Amino acid sequence: MHACHCKDLKLTVYNTGPLFHKGWYHLFYQYNPESAVWGKISWGHAVSKDLIHWLYLPFAMVPDHWYDINGVWTGSATILPDGQIVMLYTGDTYDAVQVQCLAYPANLSDPLLLDWVKYSGNPVLVPPPGIGVKDFRDPTTAWLTPDGYKWRITIGSKFNKTGISLVYETVDFKSYDMLDGYLHAVPGTGMWECVDFFPVSMTEINGLDTSVNGPGVKHVLKASLDDDKNDYFALGVYDPFENKWIPDDPELDVGIGLRYDYGKYYASKTFYDQITQRRILWGWIRETDSEDDDVLKGWASVQSIPRTVVFDQKTGNNIIQWPVSEVEELRSESVEFDNMKLGPGSIVPLRADTPSQLDIVASFEIVKEAFEGTVESNVDSSYSCPTSGGAANRGKLGPFGIIVLADETLSEGTPIYFYVTNGANGKAETHFCADELRSSEASDVAKVVYGSKVPVLDGEKYSLRSLVDHSIVESFAQGGRRVITSRIYPTKAINGAARVFLFNNATGVSVTASGKIWNMISADIRRFPFNQL
């Protein structure tokens, strides 16, 4: 399903500059051609017709000028109204200064965009006064000003410990004016990198072009926090006349509130698919066998399954992430289970022919009367997935869910589950967690519990979807309100030896489970067959 399941792939996948052009999706990614460590960062290039099966192309750009000799770093593509493509990217200069550079396709009629030309006047932007030379990177896709004449981009940075997004205005992408103030700033969040900024519709279910604004539109501002290596976002309102984005809820501001993903997921980027009218999100799934975040380790990583992003119209204060529909092309044989009763302490095996590659959809219900009688006395308002002790920690209303990548004896396994408590306000709170504590018997890998609270509205079942791929599990709760990506390394639950279970480890209630489990075939990922043209 993913590009690779191994730990030694020489792939550095801060994805960068994704776009759709003449029938092909293009993914560029940071890549070291010499080793699976940081260094000599070039732009790898892959194309796909369907976002699932990929063909590798020759490098798009390499570090070969003074302004990017230490690396061709993250960038973004902007498609102009006449179809022209401009690519802005961060270059690391010979003396380690982060600058912004311009590139464009040498031949726009080429569907594969094989050749790229770097602008002779590069760099087009250098760090402004007061900004550190190593704190100025990752330009966003540009959006139009209200008059439709100028373009704006934002670039991540910091001032002391305050994360900031600088805004620049341009007509030709070669010369720029820095606007006064910041698009936004949040004290204590540190360096903002891989900033993303895009609109979502409050009324429609489709994505929006980056330049859209007006009534019925919210704007998502996202930053990858260099300090903790997580991607945070917030919903808010963008005022282009004041050059300000204002969060809807200051307590859920960028860097202190919601995350795209509560697992191992970073340096994400969206693009607008103008053909299907989708906002598509990619993220980087890092290794977890090196937790010290040394830049010389942890770079042999893979891309997540692409996700669509829309506004959560039911809650009004979330986004919905969901795997692109094309991933369902990989589904093969399936098994259904319906209203399966799971008493307290139950563990029930599910049959799967390819248990290391699965698409699992499941929903759970607690008997209403039992729920109402139990939640009042289940007063664990301090419950938190990361500090909970995992699925072995039993409460009256949880945990319950699935266990994936388990062996026959459950000496290895990764539970994905819900845990319901009575919150401080006296109302039920639901936690969605992924427990890696027993995911591997290997001693040199991280084993943690990920997760967060997830809104469950009246009348909704507890629902999850998990995409399982050997060492990666991407799990979506409540239709995509919360997402957790796990990167694990089982030693026993490998290939055909892996097993899947339903479980209910609650002490006070029974639950009923329904759902479907599909075997998944592998994505076709190989070099582009130039010899067949």
Side-chain angles (χ1 to χ4, degrees):
M1 291 163 60
H2 294 80
C4 181
H5 316 127
C6 53
K7 294 196 288 182
D8 58 353
L9 180 67
K10 297 175 182 177
L11 191 59
T12 308
V13 256
Y14 272 50
N15 86 72
T16 185
L19 59 91
F20 181 87
H21 176 70
K22 292 188 179 296
W24 291 95
Y25 292 99
H26 290 255
L27 176 67
F28 305 91
Y29 53 90
Q30 295 182 38
Y31 179 93
N32 181 354
E34 297 183 357
S35 177
V37 298
W38 176 260
K40 292 190 178 295
I41 297 302
S42 304
W43 270 26
H45 187 187
V47 292
S48 174
K49 287 285 190 178
D50 60 6
L51 293 167
I52 302 301
H53 304 289
W54 291 88
L55 297 168
Y56 287 113
L57 294 174
F59 287 173
M61 289 190 283
V62 297
D64 57 4
H65 288 71
W66 69 267
Y67 51 79
D68 62 11
I69 196 64
N70 278 317
V72 182
W73 291 1
T74 299
S76 297
T78 302
I79 301 178
L80 306 185
D82 62 0
Q84 295 290 319
I85 298 172
V86 294
M87 189 75 76
L88 291 172
Y89 71 91
T90 297
D92 193 23
T93 72
Y94 71 94
D95 53 354
V97 177
Q98 294 172 12
V99 298
Q100 312 314 316
C101 308
L102 171 65
Y104 48 89
N107 179 11
L108 200 61
S109 64
D110 174 17
L112 299 181
L113 299 176
L114 289 173
D115 299 313
W116 289 79
V117 176
K118 297 176 182 178
Y119 172 51
S120 60
N122 278 339
V124 295
L125 282 171
V126 299
I131 296 298
V133 296
K134 296 184 179 181
D135 302 324
F136 183 67
R137 56 184 177 270
D138 310 335
T140 64
T141 295
W143 66 92
L144 282 166
T145 55
D147 59 14
Y149 176 63
K150 294 181 179 180
W151 295 89
R152 288 178 182 170
I153 62 168
T154 185
I155 297 173
S157 186
K158 68 177 180 178
F159 183 74
N160 295 325
K161 283 292 185 179
T162 297
I164 61 175
S165 48
L166 306 166
V167 178
Y168 289 84
E169 203 166 70
T170 182
V171 173
D172 57 7
F173 291 88
K174 297 175 182 177
S175 60
Y176 295 79
D177 295 316
M178 187 170 74
L179 302 187
D180 292 337
Y182 308 131
L183 179 67
H184 195 53
V186 181
T189 55
M191 177 66 194
W192 285 11
E193 58 180 3
C194 301
V195 172
D196 204 5
F197 184 61
F198 58 89
V200 289
S201 173
M202 298 171 64
T203 58
E204 305 295 331
I205 59 172
N206 56 282
L208 299 176
D209 179 83
T210 309
S211 295
V212 172
N213 198 2
V217 172
K218 293 283 187 184
H219 271 76
V220 173
L221 179 61
K222 166 260 168 182
S224 300
L225 296 198
D226 195 25
D227 287 355
D228 72 3
K229 297 296 187 293
N230 290 310
D231 279 9
Y232 293 84
F233 79 94
L235 286 159
V237 176
Y238 171 50
D239 184 343
F241 301 100
E242 296 295 328
N243 182 37
K244 291 292 182 185
W245 173 90
I246 301 171
D248 289 347
D249 184 350
E251 293 185 3
L252 295 176
D253 209 342
V254 180
I256 61 174
L258 299 175
R259 287 165 49 180
Y260 274 168
D261 192 300
Y262 287 82
K264 192 59 78 171
Y265 188 89
Y266 192 63
S268 61
K269 181 174 288 294
T270 68
F271 78 104
Y272 178 64
D273 178 355
Q274 68 271 32
I275 301 302
T276 62
Q277 296 185 317
R278 294 180 294 182
R279 172 68 54 174
I280 296 176
L281 168 70
W282 265 301
W284 176 44
I285 304 173
R286 297 187 298 139
E287 298 299 314
T288 58
D289 60 344
S290 174
E291 284 298 285
D292 59 1
D293 285 322
D294 189 313
V295 295
L296 297 180
K297 299 178 181 179
W299 280 90
S301 309
V302 298
Q303 274 297 319
S304 66
I305 295 293
R307 307 170 183 173
T308 57
V309 179
V310 296
F311 179 71
D312 182 3
Q313 296 179 25
K314 291 183 178 179
T315 66
N317 54 18
N318 287 277
I319 59 171
I320 295 292
Q321 302 174 65
W322 199 246
V324 293
S325 59
E326 289 90 336
V327 75
E328 296 170 18
E329 298 172 10
L330 301 178
R331 289 173 172 174
S332 57
E333 298 81 10
S334 64
V335 175
E336 292 190 53
F337 49 97
D338 186 45
N339 290 320
M340 186 176 293
K341 184 175 180 179
L342 303 173
S346 296
I347 299 178
V348 178
L350 293 174
R351 184 177 64 82
D353 294 334
T354 55
S356 289
Q357 290 185 195
L358 301 171
D359 188 350
I360 305 170
V361 174
S363 64
F364 302 86
E365 291 184 89
I366 300 174
V367 177
K368 184 177 181 181
E369 291 75 13
F371 178 86
E372 292 175 344
T374 306
V375 70
E376 293 180 2
S377 61
N378 191 30
V379 292
D380 190 5
S381 60
S382 63
Y383 186 89
S384 172
C385 295
T387 60
S388 66
N393 181 11
R394 305 182 67 181
K396 291 184 178 180
L397 294 173
F400 54 87
I402 60 174
I403 305 173
V404 298
L405 295 176
D407 68 333
E408 192 76 49
T409 65
L410 286 169
S411 61
E412 285 186 340
T414 300
I416 312 297
Y417 63 89
F418 296 97
Y419 194 107
V420 184
T421 65
N422 187 21
N425 59 1
K427 295 182 179 180
E429 293 180 339
T430 302
H431 305 259
F432 181 57
C433 313
D435 176 4
E436 301 179 359
L437 297 179
R438 298 172 67 87
S439 62
S440 174
E441 292 195 353
S443 60
D444 60 343
V445 298
K447 301 169 189 174
V448 297
V449 183
Y450 292 122
S452 77
K453 296 177 185 177
V454 56
V456 179
L457 305 183
D458 289 344
E460 289 185 342
K461 298 178 182 180
Y462 304 95
S463 65
L464 66 84
R465 181 182 181 186
S466 287
L467 295 172
V468 180
D469 192 13
H470 293 267
S471 67
I472 298 169
V473 185
E474 296 185 60
S475 300
F476 303 78
Q478 301 310 113
R481 282 190 199 123
R482 293 292 184 271
V483 189
I484 305 172
T485 296
S486 296
R487 186 74 155 113
I488 56 180
Y489 308 101
T491 63
K492 294 180 177 179
I494 298 173
N495 298 325
R499 296 290 182 267
V500 185
F501 297 87
L502 292 169
F503 81 99
N504 172 24
N505 209 22
T507 61
V509 293
S510 296
V511 299
T512 57
S514 300
K516 197 169 185 177
I517 179 170
W518 287 267
N519 298 310
M520 300 289 276
I521 63 174
S522 295
D524 183 11
I525 300 176
R526 54 192 171 89
R527 295 189 181 279
F528 193 94
F530 286 105
N531 60 342
Q532 298 177 23
L533 294 179

